[in-house]
Amino acid sequence: MSDSRARPQVPAPSHPWRLAYEGFDPAEEGIREVLCAVGNGYLVSRAAAPESRADGIHYPGTYLAGCYDRAVSVVDGRTVENEDLINCPNWLPFTFRPEEGTWFTGPAATEQLELDLRRGVLTRHALVVDDQGRRTRLTQRRIASQAQPHLLALETELVPENWSGRLEIRSALDGNVSNTGVARYRGLTGRHLVPDGQGADADGTLWLQVAAAGSPLRIALAARTLAHRGGAPLATIRTDEVREGLAAQVFVLAAEQGSPVTVEKTVAVFTSRDPAIGAPLRAARTLVEQAPDFARLVRDHALRWTELWSRCRIDADFDGIGTVRLHLFHLLQTYSEHSVDLDVGIPARGLHGEAYRGHVFWDELFVLQLLNLRFPELARAVLRYRHRRLDAARQAARAVGLSGAMYPWQSASDGREESQQLHRNPLSGRWLPDHSHLQHHVGSAVAYNVWQHYQATGDVDFLATTGAEMVLEVARFWSSAAVYDPRRGRYSIRGVVGPDEYHDAYPWSDRPGLDDNAYTNVLASWVLARALDTIDVLPGYRRDELLERLALDRGELDRWQEVSRRLHVPFHDGVLSQFDGYERLAELDWSAYRRRYPDLRRLDRILEAEGDTANRYKASKQADVLMLFYLFSAREVRDLLRRLGHRAGPELLRRTTGYYLRRTVHGSTLSAVVHAWVLTRSDRRASWRFFRDALAGDLADVQGGTTAEGIHLGAMAGTVDLLQRCYTGLEIRRDTLWLAPRLPSAIGRVELDLRYRGHWGVTLCVDRRTATVSLRESPQAPIRVGFRGSPTTVRPGESQRFSL
């Protein structure tokens, strides 16, 4: 095939409903595969070309929610065990050739890729020129059905431009795949699938089944490939090719110059984890046999996307609204109504790649704020994932001699700690101890998410049956972890790592962990106080049941009260200290390092490669202390600190923000989201710059190669939430929606629809002069809206306008 190609162009994120790429660029292929991936909450499939293989440029990958496998590797002489999200069998393989030609393996002479966000359809236009000069126009469309989540479909239209003759088409299912999508993991065990049968039935159905190497999981695929011209079936000669781990078919048909040939490949996917099936292979065969044609699949699929977009409408008059919708699109592809019954959490990198091994971190903290006010049923499913792993968290706490529940920093299938024991610095090539499992603040995030869900939904039933138990057990953990320091007359929480992650030990100590991380301690205090509130909110009978079941007596509750008011929070130079002893660290020579290194996002790796350590310096990877001002309003932070016995005036936020902003390298995509949020209160221009940086995070691959390994889902959700809650000033306190709009100068208007406490039709519109809350006709009760004063009641069918 010809190697001539169009020059790649920059994508067009400014288009409100389309992401488009022109030409082919090997260096950008991984980014495009991720950003143009299609999915439905059950699975996500990267946008690799159907004719491609994993070759260092392309990486076909399809990931099923919750499908993990555990494997053992030897690293630096040590045996380590990891649980990975499996790269599942490749359903895409499809190629063609004119008679006596070579199979098309890419690249095309010209190529355009377009993702239709409104309908969830990926379209590829290409011109293929073979070594004999025969030109074939190629148009491919693919979907991961939102209407039938077990179905994937690829439609290919081929138009011979200057030739006629026999056309051969090859369609396959390939189970001989491995997890090799992240370069730094390639020295570890990556083969997770074992062939478990393959074949081609008499009716033309291809099928393939694989087993996970380290678990009872089975994955089955069945495929139907049909050719037609203008809707009329084409006569073909079919040859089946079946060998271990691969099932393929070759079709031969007559092609005419200028006459389109359309081939539809429909694939059904099931696993042994799926509910309401017998055997996954039988289910896949049955579904693919019954599946409608591609046109009908697209119509039904597009209808579901229309419903989704109507339920998460957000409009703003600035040129980045297309990127905001791209972020929403990928959130809805990662977690949807099809995820609810699968017992899965929200992977930090979506279902789009293998970074972080597909594990669940605290990123749901950034996602659930969005889901609570759009799709509360999805938020509840995420929290139930955590509740099902509550016993594992209890066991983890007991293993370190503590009570309550200690949630893992990284979670996967069963709730055990999945954080790495070692990590490799690619700059030095050295394997280093990984202490990230000491980020116990993840448990506070779980409790915070439960409480925020209750505030947004008013769902006392969920709180009583599921949420309260998690909040109480996390509170119990913090109470047992707090150690009384008679010198200060306060309690300390020792040996932890905060959100910053650069600092995991004191430079003068040989033990890992830090003492009294401010974010950890203030949030622990908040959890203890909310746990006591939770007990008061519960119906009396349920309160008694939980107190008895958990053996919570008055003495323990009194300790919660005491610890919540007397946890130590360190200060220095008039600002909150990131942790106790922070003031003893050295100042980094920032100007020297910026001259030597154009990008300091991975300052920890740079310093380690130089034989130094980030633990020595006042330098942060991302927001740590400032996370408090992300989770809580400035007033709430002041109240929390005063409750702990500290003076906290209005100037504390400004001083603390400025101090850490000068010392943060934003090595995480979440950092830009948090800083955009926090700076809204003190520097709106700076807030807007960080917001734009957060929007560009994956689209521009600002971290240099990480997007190709999977989207940054927390940051994507965070950018949408900046429009939804931060810039509109939307806050839920008790039973009232409070508004304090602070639109950046670049945005003149934001309008969005919400679900709030049973109301499906709450519309909020904020512009330069007014904020309007409208409530559609509904059998639900009125809602309370607060703006600068006493709350106002808004009844169904009414609007309330507030003058700014």
Side-chain angles (χ1 to χ4, degrees):
M1 300 294 173
S2 172
D3 195 36
S4 62
R5 65 194 78 168
R7 296 302 304 161
Q9 301 294 319
V10 175
S14 60
H15 189 284
W17 291 104
R18 185 180 72 243
L19 178 65
Y21 292 95
E22 183 80 20
F24 173 73
D25 182 351
E28 297 291 315
E29 179 63 15
I31 299 172
R32 298 180 186 187
E33 289 180 355
V34 166
L35 294 181
C36 293
V38 294
N40 54 31
Y42 176 77
L43 55 78
V44 172
S45 185
R46 293 165 62 100
E51 70 277 1
S52 68
R53 295 182 178 182
D55 57 7
I57 296 173
H58 308 89
Y59 191 69
T62 298
Y63 305 93
L64 307 182
C67 287
Y68 294 95
D69 183 57
R70 193 172 294 279
V72 173
S73 305
V74 177
V75 178
D76 199 28
R78 295 175 57 180
T79 298
V80 297
E81 185 178 285
N82 292 299
E83 189 172 52
D84 292 355
L85 185 70
I86 300 170
N87 181 15
C88 293
N90 186 7
W91 69 278
L92 271 173
F94 182 96
T95 187
F96 70 96
R97 64 182 179 186
E99 186 176 12
E100 297 182 359
T102 56
W103 292 110
F104 171 55
T105 58
T110 65
E111 185 167 8
Q112 301 87 38
L113 201 63
E114 180 178 298
L115 179 63
D116 180 348
L117 303 177
R118 194 189 297 273
R119 301 170 67 243
V121 178
L122 177 64
T123 302
R124 176 194 190 197
H125 298 282
L127 175 63
V128 177
V129 183
D130 73 1
D131 50 12
Q132 298 181 39
R134 289 176 288 194
R135 299 163 60 92
T136 306
R137 187 68 59 180
L138 169 73
T139 302
Q140 289 179 319
R141 296 190 296 162
R142 78 176 76 166
I143 64 169
S145 176
Q146 281 282 9
Q148 298 192 63
H150 294 274
L151 286 180
L152 295 146
L154 172 71
E155 179 196 66
T156 303
E157 182 184 85
L158 300 167
V159 182
E161 289 198 337
N162 63 349
W163 63 276
S164 296
R166 296 203 327 166
L167 171 66
E168 293 183 58
I169 293 165
R170 189 173 190 272
S171 176
L173 301 172
D174 185 3
N176 295 311
V177 299
S178 297
N179 280 47
T180 58
V182 178
R184 59 189 175 279
Y185 300 164
R186 288 176 191 159
L188 308 178
T189 301
R191 189 67 186 266
H192 292 285
L193 299 179
V194 177
D196 192 37
Q198 54 280 318
D201 295 338
D203 65 356
T205 300
L206 275 183
W207 60 270
L208 172 75
Q209 182 162 281
V210 294
S215 78
L217 178 70
R218 297 289 187 274
I219 304 170
L221 289 77
R224 181 189 70 197
T225 304
L226 301 173
H228 63 86
R229 179 178 287 121
L234 284 174
T236 61
I237 300 172
R238 190 187 91 221
T239 303
D240 299 328
E241 300 178 4
V242 178
R243 59 178 184 270
E244 188 174 66
L246 179 75
Q249 295 169 322
V250 175
F251 300 87
V252 181
L253 52 88
E256 302 174 6
Q257 182 176 342
S259 180
V261 171
T262 302
V263 183
E264 298 180 7
K265 181 178 183 180
T266 306
V267 179
V269 182
F270 282 87
T271 82
S272 53
R273 296 183 73 249
D274 293 330
I277 66 165
L281 181 56
R282 182 169 65 247
R285 280 169 154 159
T286 300
L287 181 59
V288 84
E289 178 185 350
Q290 298 171 350
D293 62 15
F294 187 83
R296 176 62 183 273
L297 285 173
V298 169
R299 283 198 302 271
D300 293 345
H301 168 72
L303 177 61
R304 290 298 185 95
W305 270 110
T306 299
E307 294 171 359
L308 288 172
W309 286 120
S310 69
R311 290 177 58 186
C312 58
R313 182 177 71 92
I314 184 164
D315 294 311
D317 56 353
F318 78 109
D319 61 1
I321 191 62
T323 308
V324 171
R325 289 185 179 131
L326 176 69
H327 290 179
L328 260 174
F329 178 79
H330 283 299
L331 171 60
L332 295 173
Q333 292 200 128
T334 300
Y335 212 88
S336 76
E337 63 180 314
H338 308 305
S339 315
V340 170
D341 292 331
L342 297 179
D343 183 31
V344 293
I346 296 181
R349 303 298 286 273
L351 297 171
H352 297 63
E354 295 160 16
Y356 300 161
R357 305 186 180 282
H359 292 169
V360 175
F361 290 69
W362 73 325
D363 298 62
E364 67 205 48
L365 182 71
F366 298 84
V367 176
L368 294 193
Q369 301 300 324
L370 194 61
L371 295 182
N372 282 335
L373 291 169
R374 302 288 190 157
F375 302 93
E377 66 278 8
L378 303 189
R380 279 193 296 273
V382 176
L383 294 172
R384 286 195 175 101
Y385 165 85
R386 291 295 191 179
H387 185 256
R388 293 186 187 101
R389 286 150 185 80
L390 180 58
D391 279 343
R394 286 171 171 141
Q395 292 168 15
R398 287 197 296 270
V400 294
L402 298 175
S403 303
M406 186 176 76
Y407 276 96
W409 178 238
Q410 296 187 36
S411 178
S413 61
D414 61 10
R416 75 179 79 175
E417 178 62 76
E418 299 293 351
S419 296
Q420 307 304 295
Q421 301 171 34
L422 301 171
H423 67 269
R424 182 177 180 272
N425 181 356
L427 299 184
S428 68
R430 287 188 285 266
W431 288 90
L432 309 165
D434 191 321
H435 299 135
S436 60
H437 67 279
L438 297 176
Q439 293 190 70
H440 301 319
H441 61 83
V442 64
S444 294
V446 172
Y448 179 89
N449 289 335
V450 169
W451 188 255
Q452 292 300 309
H453 180 74
Y454 165 67
Q455 292 289 298
T457 64
D459 191 344
V460 177
D461 185 64
F462 174 79
L463 189 66
T465 58
T466 305
E469 191 173 10
M470 289 187 284
V471 174
L472 298 179
E473 287 291 67
V474 172
R476 177 174 260 169
F477 169 75
W478 286 129
S479 176
S480 68
V483 178
Y484 186 69
D485 182 351
R487 180 173 55 89
R488 290 195 177 103
R490 288 186 169 274
Y491 289 89
S492 287
I493 296 176
R494 297 169 180 162
V496 302
V497 171
D500 161 42
E501 295 185 340
Y502 274 1
H503 298 90
D504 63 358
Y506 290 107
W508 52 82
S509 173
D510 58 1
R511 70 172 178 88
L514 306 162
D515 299 337
D516 293 322
N517 172 257
Y519 172 79
T520 299
N521 283 18
V522 173
L523 202 52
S525 171
W526 179 90
V527 170
L528 288 161
R530 292 296 76 72
L532 296 170
D533 289 345
T534 299
I535 292 172
D536 290 340
V537 167
L538 295 177
Y541 75 92
R542 182 55 177 159
R543 180 190 313 128
D544 295 341
E545 287 179 350
L546 266 183
L547 292 178
E548 183 176 8
R549 176 189 300 177
L550 300 180
L552 277 170
D553 58 24
R554 176 46 55 187
E556 186 167 3
L557 298 181
D558 288 344
R559 176 178 166 84
W560 292 7
Q561 187 73 255
E562 180 184 9
V563 173
S564 73
R565 294 180 179 275
R566 298 181 67 185
L567 275 168
H568 175 52
V569 178
F571 288 78
H572 75 282
D573 298 341
V575 302
L576 281 161
S577 297
Q578 188 167 306
F579 48 82
D580 191 45
Y582 180 87
E583 72 283 355
R584 296 172 59 186
L585 303 184
E587 290 284 3
L588 187 75
D589 187 345
W590 290 99
S591 58
Y593 271 85
R594 288 194 172 103
R595 284 195 302 270
R596 292 164 58 192
Y597 301 98
D599 187 349
L600 291 180
R601 287 186 178 90
R602 291 315 307 256
L603 178 64
D604 59 333
R605 291 177 176 174
I606 292 171
L607 290 170
E608 194 279 329
E610 293 180 346
D612 206 342
T613 172
N615 284 325
R616 293 184 57 230
Y617 300 102
K618 297 173 182 174
S620 297
K621 175 183 177 181
Q622 58 189 313
D624 192 297
V625 173
L626 297 187
M627 275 296 303
L628 292 170
F629 298 95
Y630 172 77
L631 296 184
F632 306 107
S633 68
R635 176 190 57 78
E636 288 175 312
V637 173
R638 290 196 298 270
D639 288 346
L640 286 167
L641 292 173
R642 288 168 182 165
R643 189 174 189 276
L644 284 161
H646 297 286
R647 286 181 153 183
E651 74 284 354
L652 180 65
L653 168 61
R654 177 185 54 79
R655 285 201 310 265
T656 303
T657 301
Y659 182 90
Y660 288 103
L661 187 57
R662 294 190 295 272
R663 295 166 172 83
T664 302
V665 298
H666 310 293
S668 164
T669 56
L670 294 173
S671 193
V673 171
V674 175
H675 282 82
W677 195 291
V678 173
L679 285 166
T680 304
R681 300 164 184 145
S682 58
D683 188 342
R684 292 191 191 180
R685 288 186 178 179
S687 169
W688 182 248
R689 290 195 298 271
F690 276 108
F691 175 67
R692 298 301 299 231
D693 288 347
L695 279 181
D698 278 325
L699 198 64
D701 191 25
V702 297
Q703 291 191 324
T706 63
T707 299
E709 301 169 349
I711 59 171
H712 296 82
L713 196 62
M716 284 188 166
T719 60
V720 183
D721 199 32
L722 277 161
L723 286 181
Q724 174 175 282
R725 291 192 304 133
C726 180
Y727 291 148
T728 63
L730 179 65
E731 183 183 351
I732 301 170
R733 298 203 303 268
R734 297 186 182 275
D735 60 349
T736 303
L737 281 176
W738 288 91
L739 299 174
R742 45 178 88 91
L743 290 184
S745 59
I747 298 180
R749 179 188 61 85
V750 174
E751 184 171 343
L752 48 89
D753 293 330
L754 304 172
R755 281 173 65 187
Y756 172 66
R757 297 205 165 195
H759 288 279
W760 283 68
V762 180
T763 297
L764 172 62
C765 183
V766 175
D767 58 29
R768 290 266 170 248
R769 299 183 178 180
T770 61
T772 304
V773 177
S774 303
L775 195 59
R776 296 178 196 165
E777 291 287 352
S778 165
Q780 301 296 323
I783 64 173
R784 289 160 55 87
V785 179
F787 180 80
R788 290 184 180 171
S790 300
T792 299
T793 298
V794 181
R795 292 177 172 79
E798 294 182 349
S799 294
Q800 181 68 46
R801 178 172 293 183
F802 304 95
S803 175
L804 305 182

